[in-house]
């Protein structure tokens, strides 16, 4: 139906021994693609929707590790889940999103988060993962005036994990505005302050910085005896990380600088003001905050770079009448922008999204080189529309599934399902590159430390 040739992932070294992951609310497997790019192996996947499993298998092939079923049923029988170092959960955002009903974490589909927590609670100590990665919309921060974000972090704490949180926008990697909140959990009892991990039997810090301590009680830079080299700060026992497998412009070679306290936090690209405020409002919780590098520049990839160049007689283009109707749905401001594009000497591109304003369906044109956030096309709405104009002409069509896959960082995703099913699958997924970035800069150093300490215990 569409492009069936998968693109080799940027990370070509395969999974690193011990980096195993269980993927919950797995959808069509984009989190899996991100984790695999960062050297992880997904050994278990779960989702309640058979249609997503169908789309997943159309790309990855038969996947016996993919379990279709309710997360609450897994919680009643956790032996179905194999042991893994990491558990990833991209639970439904329906009741947290600003575009949804805002019922909150305890209502509707978003309450499935608690089924995942119960599953983790029901696992044996040996089975329970040492790392957690939770992803959802940024609306979680403001849901119930911040109470839902606090409840989520407190639930992770209650299971013995210290938390970190960051916001990563797909627009740092692909031409789509898709900011998402990531919460990391690190099991207590594992020293993760120094990277690379120290040799067996050696403390993670010099005496000046202190040794040991509970996860989530990180020293400040001064307390840790930090030293500076140029613009980067290093901690005793640490050294610069090698370049990540697909390092982007804007990444720092010093991918990890640890030891932030809540009071150390200042607004940044990865932790904007509203996230810093949310963390400070819950300063009494158990945090394991790391200082992280800047992601690649916002909008580094432009919309036109991911578009198919279709001939004028392609059936994907709308009729003249339908295109004109869209143009007439624009406000005066957006229509003026469209007219300027049409009169331009060169062909240019914009993304259009329909919204209801004051009871009327309006077409809003975006021309900053980005598409709006992909959404699930329920009831025929929520689709991204492409507006191509210049030299006195314009054409309109829906963005096709191949283009949506590229917006999600999944170039080459093999699509074997009907149009709406594919659009739904991508609209309900997480950006591949965002997951890979979080894994490379936050999960991988901790995983190496945990696996190194586990090896030390084995030796002893």
């Amino acid at each position: 139906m569409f492009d069936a040739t998968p693109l080799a992932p940027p990370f070509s070294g395969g999974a690193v021994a011990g980096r195993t992951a269980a993927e919950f609310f797995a959808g069509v497997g984009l989190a899996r693609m991100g984790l695999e790019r960062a050297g992880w192996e997904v050994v278990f996947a779960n989702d309640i929707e058979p249609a997503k499993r169908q789309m997943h298998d159309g790309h990855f092939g038969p996947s016996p590790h993919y379990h279709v079923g309710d997360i609450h049923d897994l919680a009643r029988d956790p032996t179905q889940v194999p042991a893994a170092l990491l558990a990833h959960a991209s639970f439904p955002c329906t009741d947290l999103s600003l575009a949804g009903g805002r019922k909150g974490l305890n209502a509707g589909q978003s309450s499935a988060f608690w089924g995942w927590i119960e599953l983790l609670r029901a696992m044996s100590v040996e089975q329970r993962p040492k790392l957690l990665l939770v992803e959802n919309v940024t609306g979680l921060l403001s849901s119930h005036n911040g109470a839902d974000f606090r409840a989520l972090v407190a639930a992770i704490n209650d299971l013995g994990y210290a938390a970190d949180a960051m916001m990563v926008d797909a627009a740092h990697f692909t031409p789509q505005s898709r900011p998402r909140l990531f919460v990391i959990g690190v099991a207590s009892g594992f020293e993760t302050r120094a990277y690379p991990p120290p040799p067996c039997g050696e403390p993670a810090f010099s005496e000046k910085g202190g040794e040991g301590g509970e996860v989530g009680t990180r020293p400040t830079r001064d307390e840790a005896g930090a030293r500076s080299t140029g613009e980067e700060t290093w901690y005793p026992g640490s050294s610069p990380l090698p370049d990540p497998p697909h390092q982007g412009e804007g990444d720092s070679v010093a991918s990890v600088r640890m030891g932030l306290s809540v009071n150390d936090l200042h607004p940044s690209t990865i932790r904007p003001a509203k996230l810093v405020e949310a963390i400070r409002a819950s300063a009494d919780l158990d945090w394991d905050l790391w200082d992280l590098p800047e992601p690649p520049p916002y909008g580094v990839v432009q919309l036109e770079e991911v578009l198919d160049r279709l001939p004028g007689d392609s059936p994907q283009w709308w009729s003249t009448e339908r295109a004109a109707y869209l143009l007439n749905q624009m406000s005066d401001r957006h229509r003026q922008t469209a007219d300027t594009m049409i009169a331009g000497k060169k062909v240019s591109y914009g993304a259009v999204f329909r919204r209801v304003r004051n009871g009327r369906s309006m077409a809003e044109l975006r021309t900053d080189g980005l598409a709006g956030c992909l959404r699930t096309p329920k009831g025929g709405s929520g689709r991204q529309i492409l507006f191509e104009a210049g030299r006195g002409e314009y054409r309109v069509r829906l963005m096709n599934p191949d283009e949506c896959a590229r917006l999600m960082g999944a170039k080459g995703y093999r699509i074997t399902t009907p149009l709406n099913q594919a659009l739904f699958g991508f609209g309900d997924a997480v950006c591949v590159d965002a997951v890979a970035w979080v894994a490379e800069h936050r999960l991988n150093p901790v995983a190496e430390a945990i696996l190194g300490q586990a090896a030390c215990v084995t030796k002893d």
Side-chain angles (χ1 to χ4, degrees), residues 229-450:
T229 303
E231 296 181 357
E232 302 300 339
T233 302
W234 307 100
Y235 286 87
S238 70
S239 63
L241 288 173
D243 290 347
H246 57 99
Q247 184 176 8
E249 182 182 354
D251 285 354
S252 167
V253 175
S255 294
V256 177
R257 294 178 293 172
M258 308 153 206
L260 288 179
S261 70
V262 171
N263 292 331
D264 285 330
L265 288 182
H266 297 285
S268 65
T269 304
I270 293 301
R271 294 190 186 94
K274 61 182 178 180
L275 177 54
V276 171
E277 181 181 350
I279 294 173
R280 287 178 176 171
S282 293
D284 57 308
L285 298 182
D286 192 5
W287 295 99
D288 179 27
L289 303 168
W290 281 19
D291 197 1
L292 296 167
E294 285 288 298
Y298 191 85
V300 67
V301 180
Q302 291 287 287
L303 178 62
E304 62 181 288
E305 298 178 55
V306 303
L307 298 176
D308 290 334
R309 298 297 188 263
L310 301 181
D313 60 354
S314 169
Q316 291 187 42
W317 293 112
W318 289 2
S319 68
T320 301
E321 295 75 18
R322 189 179 179 188
Y325 181 79
L326 180 79
L327 206 62
N328 289 329
Q329 284 186 298
M330 296 182 185
S331 67
D332 291 343
R333 180 170 62 88
H334 287 276
R335 178 59 184 266
Q336 183 178 4
T337 300
D339 289 342
T340 300
M341 290 176 63
I342 294 170
K345 295 182 179 180
K346 296 182 179 180
V347 174
S348 58
Y349 303 89
V352 179
F353 191 82
R354 284 196 177 106
R355 301 179 188 273
V356 176
R357 302 289 189 190
N358 298 319
R360 180 186 172 193
S361 177
M362 303 293 292
E364 299 184 353
L365 175 61
R366 181 169 187 161
T367 59
D368 61 350
L370 300 177
C373 183
L374 293 183
R375 298 180 183 176
T376 53
K378 296 179 180 178
S381 64
R383 299 178 181 180
Q384 288 289 330
I385 301 168
L386 177 67
F387 184 75
E388 177 188 286
R391 300 167 185 159
E393 300 180 342
Y394 70 96
R395 294 187 294 188
V396 178
R397 63 176 173 85
L398 293 175
M399 296 192 69
N400 65 46
D402 285 334
E403 292 165 331
C404 291
R406 295 173 200 136
L407 289 178
M408 296 299 292
K411 181 179 179 180
Y413 194 101
R414 286 176 286 189
I415 300 164
T416 59
T417 56
L419 174 65
N420 260 19
Q421 185 176 341
L423 295 178
F424 193 98
F426 290 132
D428 204 26
V430 57
C431 176
V432 172
D433 299 274
V435 173
W437 191 92
V438 172
E440 289 167 4
H441 293 291
R442 188 62 176 88
L443 297 178
N444 288 3
V446 185
E448 183 168 340
I450 289 175

Side-chain angles (χ1 to χ4, degrees), residues 67-87:
H67 175 90
V68 176
D70 194 319
I71 191 76
H72 296 90
D73 292 336
L74 285 179
R76 286 186 279 271
D77 183 14
T79 60
Q80 299 177 74
V81 183
L85 180 62
L86 168 71

